[in-house]
Amino acid sequence: MKRLHHKLGLLACLALALAGCQGPDQVEEGQAQENSGQASQAEEQDVPALSINHYPAAIEDGHYKMSESRGLMARPSSEANLRNFEEGLYRIAEGQFSTEEYYFQEGQLITREMANQWLGAKTKDNPEGLNPEGSASDKREDYQPKYLNSILEYNFMKKDDEDNYQLEGVTIGLALNSEDTFSNGESQEKISIDKDQALEHGKQIAEEVVARIRKDKKYAKLPIQVALFYNGPTDSLAGGSYASEVVSVAGTAFSDWENYDTQHLVFGVDDAAAEEDNVAFARFTSEVEDFFPRLSGISGVGTYEEGRLSQIDIEINTQFDSYSELVALVQHTMNTANTIFRNNRGSISIRVEGPSGVRAIMERQAGENNFTYEMIS
Amino acid sequence: MKRLHHKLGLLACLALALAGCQGPDQVEEGQAQENSGQASQAEEQDVPALSINHYPAAIEDGHYKMSESRGLMARPSSEANLRNFEEGLYRIAEGQFSTEEYYFQEGQLITREMANQWLGAKTKDNPEGLNPEGSASDKREDYQPKYLNSILEYNFMKKDDEDNYQLEGVTIGLALNSEDTFSNGESQEKISIDKDQALEHGKQIAEEVVARIRKDKKYAKLPIQVALFYNGPTDSLAGGSYASEVVSVAGTAFSDWENYDTQHLVFGVDDAAAEEDNVAFARFTSEVEDFFPRLSGISGVGTYEEGRLSQIDIEINTQFDSYSELVALVQHTMNTANTIFRNNRGSISIRVEGPSGVRAIMERQAGENNFTYEMIS
């Protein structure tokens, strides 16, 4: 399931001109003419409705700088959770720090050592722990679950007059657990954490994290955005989603928490928001499989915003690898999807996975009537 | 290497409206209004310069019909050869049978039994064999290499007045070996077959294949196109290419053979047509790797038409899977490619392969200045 986890889910489809990836002051002398030529050409191109902008990378000393703390986890998670956690934070940051104004750097404030301490239980040996003391207990009656599972930090930079990058903003994602496991060698028990409970603890942790960063006077007035991610069950294809965000412009001042109602649900497995969506997906599956009996499976994830189906992600697995059969499958799949999801106004992304990887990607943007597709040799 | 073979190489990039996939008479009653609405919308969209059309599939009895003979081989080949053989034949067929006028069906005339016989040596037991009698010999002095390695057949259909599909054209690809192995248990020897020699035998085989199909009077006046593919060495990333094609409109009449001069060459490995292309690719590789030291390898294949570099296919392999690092890699790769391949007027396709599959695809169409890219979650 590991591979499938990773491949399914949100497909970030982009078709942006290169010019869009360059920072405002990245044009080097001597290239100015060509570059401005490119820019005007780019402006003439139609940019797809749902295109997503990306930050230019802040590069110092010619290398891309990694974050030390990325990837540390209090307990194992799923690839679907990790993917939604990372890509979702990128999207959330864009709401606060414009891709037109800021350069991106992976988080440098929270070191590996800090993250290791913070993800642990708060004990005498680990006073900086952000998980409850009880999460280190081996007695079931004293045990409290680990709420905080991982921390992801993004830095947003601007260039000063001397062309040096200055840190101008931080976005921090906190992944909260929906389940934890108590285990003391004798017995093992799964403990579920409901969303309200997770968010309540998450909000306290967020304030504490901001306070710790602000201990360094340099960062007293640094805008810090924090977003809370509620992990999905580790065995789910769909993965969790962001639930809430807050901004601290300076000091201990916080904006109100802004809540999202986003859910990723596996069709036919999770209780979808609307039974008709399960039915439509089942009909789609049976019509495609009837046509191509040698397919080895179709799975689908629906993304619901405020209870409304906003995105469908479908993965079709096949053992065959004939180019002409693949072309026919892509055509039939798009026809079937257009018929069955005709009144669906959300976006649809369908990928075909062959024995050696992705063979085709089909996409219909929100509000559009037609798919575009790409075949991958 | 198997996986790499498959992934590298020609990337068929398409962004066509669905309407383009429908046959002229596929619009069903009751859907007419929506469909014509889609068509006019599709016409308004910009179709990329290098977009490739596809045939609608001819579907009988609700199932996609497979070819029995596809995939049979006289000796093992590489994935790169198979991919170029299949996709190349599709492109060649389009030159003879328009995607606007014909429906596609996998080849039904050459059965599995026929293909098995034809690919064997011509012996008393196998009088239909199209490979030399000597290719069955276990004496080195009598041995002759197997020229014909595999056969691929495509059928092109039109609908008659009663809405039944009628076969109106056939395209056959013959894959010819560039090497064979003599082996008799005691000794083993690799025998190379030069291109002229392979084509000379291939042309005789092509005429024989057409004659055999025409033995059935039904097919006396069926247009048959035959294309000869010269396999690349099995250990090469690049794969072989089509070398020659011919059309027999009816009976034993053949057009003149039309020859192609196409070569796929691995940069830094094969002797490229121009040493400057090797140098440019090496510079590209070192600039990208310098920036991202954790990459695990970059390989590139150049396609040369008439000695001119018409397409560059690059694969970047990476162990990392951070979304933000991937975004930075894609940006830096496109910038570097635009700088180094600035004066290259051919098309460029670059893909990033992560631990669990394709993570990003970048493409610059022939004659364009900008890349488009797509990130795959």
Side-chain angles (χ1 to χ4, degrees), chain B residues 35-54:
Chain B
N35 275 314
S36 55
Q38 284 178 18
S40 62
Q41 189 165 350
E43 281 157 22
E44 285 163 29
Q45 293 180 352
D46 283 352
V47 175
L50 280 196
S51 69
I52 298 159
N53 283 308
H54 284 135

Side-chain angles (χ1 to χ4, degrees), chain A residues 23 73 88 95 134 154 169 171 228 236 239-240 263 279 301 308 316 359 376:
Chain A
M73 283 181 280
Y154 290 158
T171 294
L228 303 180
S236 166
Q263 276 186 295
V279 170
V301 171
R308 198 182 63 85
I316 300 176
R359 294 300 309 273
I376 299 172

Side-chain angles (χ1 to χ4, degrees), chain B residues 104-362:
Chain B
F104 176 94
Q105 188 172 58
E106 294 200 16
Q108 303 294 323
L109 303 192
I110 302 172
T111 64
R112 192 169 183 85
E113 192 191 350
M114 286 158 74
N116 258 327
Q117 291 172 353
W118 296 6
L119 292 173
K122 181 186 172 75
T123 59
K124 265 182 218 158
D125 293 343
N126 186 39
E128 299 287 301
L130 291 172
N131 273 314
E133 184 169 9
S135 67
S137 173
D138 59 359
K139 294 198 188 70
R140 178 64 188 94
E141 61 273 23
D142 297 335
Y143 191 78
Q144 287 179 283
K146 294 182 277 289
Y147 296 104
L148 178 63
N149 200 53
S150 55
I151 303 171
L152 185 62
E153 177 199 347
Y154 290 157
N155 292 167
F156 299 96
M157 329 285 284
K158 286 186 175 176
K159 279 188 177 173
D160 63 17
D161 296 341
E162 283 160 7
D163 222 32
N164 294 317
Y165 290 109
Q166 297 297 337
L167 181 64
E168 300 280 352
V170 171
T171 294
I172 293 170
L174 302 175
L176 305 169
N177 285 319
S178 55
E179 59 189 14
D180 192 14
T181 310
F182 167 77
S183 168
N184 65 355
E186 288 166 23
S187 70
Q188 188 163 325
E189 189 183 332
K190 190 163 268 186
I191 298 164
S192 66
I193 305 166
D194 73 30
K195 195 169 175 177
D196 290 342
Q197 199 186 357
L199 291 182
E200 193 191 313
H201 286 267
K203 287 173 185 179
Q204 290 168 13
I205 294 169
E207 295 193 11
E208 178 61 25
V209 165
V210 171
R212 289 183 185 182
I213 289 174
R214 296 220 188 281
K215 270 187 196 158
D216 186 331
K217 291 287 177 287
K218 281 207 296 287
Y219 307 133
K221 290 182 177 174
L222 181 70
I224 303 176
Q225 178 188 34
V226 187
L228 303 180
F229 183 90
Y230 184 57
N231 274 330
T234 49
D235 60 357
S236 166
L237 273 182
S241 54
Y242 277 92
S244 203
E245 71 161 279
V246 75
V247 176
S248 165
V249 177
T252 54
F254 278 83
S255 67
D256 286 340
W257 283 90
E258 184 186 338
N259 297 315
Y260 315 123
D261 178 9
T262 305
Q263 277 187 294
H264 304 296
L265 299 169
V266 183
F267 293 123
V269 176
D270 298 326
D271 295 328
E275 182 54 22
E276 66 192 37
D277 297 337
N278 272 337
V279 170
F281 178 74
R283 212 180 116 214
F284 169 83
T285 299
S286 93
E287 291 203 9
V288 172
E289 285 179 342
D290 183 49
F291 209 77
F292 292 91
R294 299 196 306 142
L295 295 179
S296 45
I298 302 181
S299 56
V301 171
T303 298
Y304 291 84
E305 315 257 10
E306 315 277 342
R308 199 182 64 84
L309 182 60
S310 63
Q311 160 111 6
I312 298 175
D313 289 280
I314 294 173
E315 179 167 312
I316 300 176
N317 284 276
T318 165
Q319 289 309 307
F320 59 72
D321 59 356
S322 145
Y323 178 72
S324 47
E325 189 169 7
L326 195 71
V327 168
L329 171 63
V330 166
Q331 289 170 355
H332 183 64
T333 298
M334 293 191 300
N335 275 317
T336 305
N338 265 339
T339 304
I340 291 179
F341 303 119
R342 176 175 297 173
N343 297 320
N344 184 308
R345 295 292 84 199
S347 55
I348 301 176
S349 160
I350 306 173
R351 76 172 65 189
V352 178
E353 286 271 340
S356 41
V358 185
R359 294 301 308 275
I361 298 171
M362 295 159 256

Side-chain angles (χ1 to χ4, degrees), chain A residues 7 10 12 14 18 54-55 63 66 86-87 290 294 323 325 331 338 356 363 373-375 377, chain B residues 7 10 12 14 18 54-55 63 66 86-87 290 294 323 325 331 338 356 363 373-375 377:
Chain A
K7 288 307 190 55
L10 297 172
L14 309 163
L18 174 66
H54 283 136
Y55 297 97
H63 294 300
M66 310 288 299
E86 284 204 0
E87 297 191 21
D290 183 50
R294 299 196 306 141
Y323 178 73
E325 188 169 7
Q331 289 170 355
N338 265 340
S356 41
E363 295 187 300
Y373 65 101
E374 182 144 6
M375 301 197 55
S377 292
Chain B
K7 288 307 189 57
L10 297 172
L14 311 164
L18 175 66
H54 284 135
Y55 297 97
H63 294 299
M66 309 289 300
E86 284 203 1
E87 296 191 21
D290 183 49
R294 299 196 306 142
Y323 178 72
E325 189 169 7
Q331 289 170 355
N338 265 339
S356 41
E363 294 186 300
Y373 65 101
E374 181 144 7
M375 302 195 56
S377 292

Side-chain angles (χ1 to χ4, degrees), chain A residues 97 100 108 122 134 146 177 353 361:
Chain A
F97 305 108
E100 313 261 302
Q108 303 295 322
K122 180 186 172 75
K146 295 183 277 289
N177 285 319
E353 287 271 340
I361 298 171

